[in-house]
Every structure is written in C-alpha cells, then in structure tokens.
Amino acid sequence: MKQRLLFLGPPGAGKGTQAQRLAASQNLMHLSTGDLLRAEVQAGSELGRQAEAVMARGELVSDELVLAIVRSRLQQGSGGWLLDGFPRNLAQAEALDTLLRELGQPIELVVLMELDDAVLIQRLLSRGRSDDNEEVIRHRLEVYREQTAPLISHYRQLGLLASVEAAGSVEEIGARITALTEA
Ligand code: B4P
C-alpha cells in the first residue's frame, strides 16, 4: 500500500471526498489546502483575511501562504500522508519537490481524478459553498486548465501519474483509487 499520495483534478472532481475516506481507512495524514485555508478564514487570522477575498473570486491564494501551511504540517508528521488540492501550479510543485527531498519523503503516487465539466459544475452548485456560484466555478475551471493542468505532464514524466474516472458512486470511485494504491 502506497503511503505518500497526491490527489490532482479539477474543482468538484471529488478530491476532498475521496481523500477523506482513504486517509481515514489507511491512517494517513489528510492535508487539504482548501480546508486549511477555510479554517484560517473561519478563525479570522491574518492569513485568513488575506485568503478570503482571493478564494471568493475563485483564484489561487499566494504560493508563499500555501507553502508555509504545507511545510509546517509535513514537518510535524511522521507517517504517511495524502495531499489534496496542493500543488496547484508548477511553482508549488517545484517547491514541494524540494521540500520532500529535504524531508526524505518522496511522493509514491499521483491520482488524477477526471470528470466532465458539466458534471463538475452540477456537483459544485449542489455543494453550495460560498465560492460555489456558476460564475466563480467557471473561473475556477479556467484557473485549473491554465495553472494546474500542466502538473499532469510534470507527474507523468516522473512516472508517478495514474488516472481515475471520477464518475459513479463515491464507493465505486473509492474502490478504483484503493486498487491503484495497492498496485
Ligand atoms: P478546494 O477546497 O481544494 O476544493 P475543490 O477543488 O473545489 O473541490 P474537490 O475536488 O475537493 O471536491 P469535493 O470532494 O468537495 O479549493 C477551494 C479554493 O481554495 C480554491 O479555489 C483556491 O482559492 C483555494 N486553494 C486551495 N488549495 C490551494 C493551493 N494549493 N494554492 C492556492 N489556492 C488554493 O466534491 C465536490 C462536491 O461533489 C461535494 O458536494 C461532494 O459531496 C460531491 N461529490 C463528491 N464525489 C461525488 C460522487 N461520486 N457523486 C456525486 N457527488 C459527489
């Protein structure tokens, strides 16, 4: 069973949903940069104040802020982990590669969750979070295509990428992902 995993995919593909399940069943640290940023917003911290408006527009929070959060969490942990929603651009991916080299904890598998835009938009509209209105969702999809999708070839070249069809029930998709982690 692979212990150091990264989930990649467009907004609404179900990264958070699947990451939570797998982390709980395999006892991995679940690191969702979206959840961590929302917690900072909720707590009213300086970091949260900076992140709030950016997230509401569907843009990416600055690499420095996100990296600081991830670095401190990875340094604290000792077992396996699952990164969900990070990295989201090439600069973050390169910074992560450097950090993981320092920590001696290389990524073992990158799971790419693939789903049609129409289904993504429908899922996000029914989730109903404050950044889930149609205009912001479309902008997040553009940001994904421009900034995050280039990571697919980055991780493919490193021989780490495996794709999963992210349509179907939560259980079906979970079984596909578990099979990949055991391969
Ligand atoms: P995230 O919190 O990462 O959220 P997401 O990509 O929108 O959703 P995810 O793919 O996790 O889908 P979910 O499981 O919730 O990002 C939010 C914002 O944070 C970004 O726009 C950005 O501003 C900021 N941010 C985060 N990380 C950052 C970084 N590294 N750098 C800079 N900024 C960053 O599923 C979606 C919905 O579908 C849910 O309602 C779920 O219940 C439903 N669903 C899931 N699986 C389903 C299934 N099989 N069938 C039907 N419904 C399903």
Side-chain angles (χ1 to χ4, degrees):
M1 162 80 202
K2 298 192 170 64
Q3 295 285 310
R4 292 185 297 274
L5 311 171
L6 199 154
F7 278 15
L8 193 64
K15 301 180 296 290
T17 304
Q18 294 298 335
Q20 209 169 3
R21 281 171 55 97
L22 188 65
S25 72
Q26 302 298 330
N27 202 20
L28 305 173
M29 172 168 66
H30 176 197
L31 246 171
S32 157
T33 44
D35 286 351
L36 293 168
L37 289 166
R38 281 184 289 278
E40 295 288 339
V41 172
Q42 198 73 36
S45 69
E46 177 52 34
L47 195 157
R49 271 194 291 276
Q50 291 179 44
E52 190 170 16
V54 181
M55 293 172 79
R57 290 197 300 270
E59 287 167 9
L60 296 184
V61 173
S62 85
D63 295 343
E64 290 70 27
L65 284 186
V66 177
L67 268 166
I69 295 180
V70 172
R71 172 181 286 273
S72 84
R73 300 286 164 140
L74 284 179
Q75 280 169 335
Q76 282 162 29
S78 53
W81 40 254
L82 201 167
L83 291 177
D84 151 23
F86 174 88
R88 253 179 160 92
N89 59 30
L90 272 174
Q92 291 183 6
E94 282 161 9
L96 177 66
D97 291 345
T98 306
L99 174 62
L100 294 179
R101 257 196 309 275
E102 272 170 36
L103 298 175
Q105 297 184 25
I107 297 169
E108 293 177 306
L109 178 70
V110 176
V111 176
L112 171 65
M113 299 184 62
E114 296 186 297
L115 195 59
D116 290 345
D117 280 9
V119 186
L120 296 171
I121 292 171
Q122 227 22 70
R123 279 191 190 174
L124 291 175
L125 286 174
S126 36
R127 181 172 65 179
R129 216 167 59 193
S130 61
D131 57 344
D132 286 339
N133 66 69
E134 189 149 358
E135 192 188 339
V136 171
I137 292 169
R138 289 197 185 279
H139 186 52
R140 282 160 59 198
L141 286 170
E142 278 168 29
V143 170
Y144 173 77
R145 269 184 215 105
E146 284 166 16
Q147 302 200 40
T148 311
L151 299 186
I152 297 171
S153 50
H154 176 79
Y155 289 117
R156 187 175 285 130
Q157 274 165 22
L158 294 173
L160 293 170
L161 194 84
S163 303
V164 154
E165 169 64 59
S169 71
V170 169
E171 290 73 23
E172 283 163 351
I173 300 161
R176 288 173 205 151
I177 294 174
T178 301
L180 288 177
T181 67
E182 289 169 346

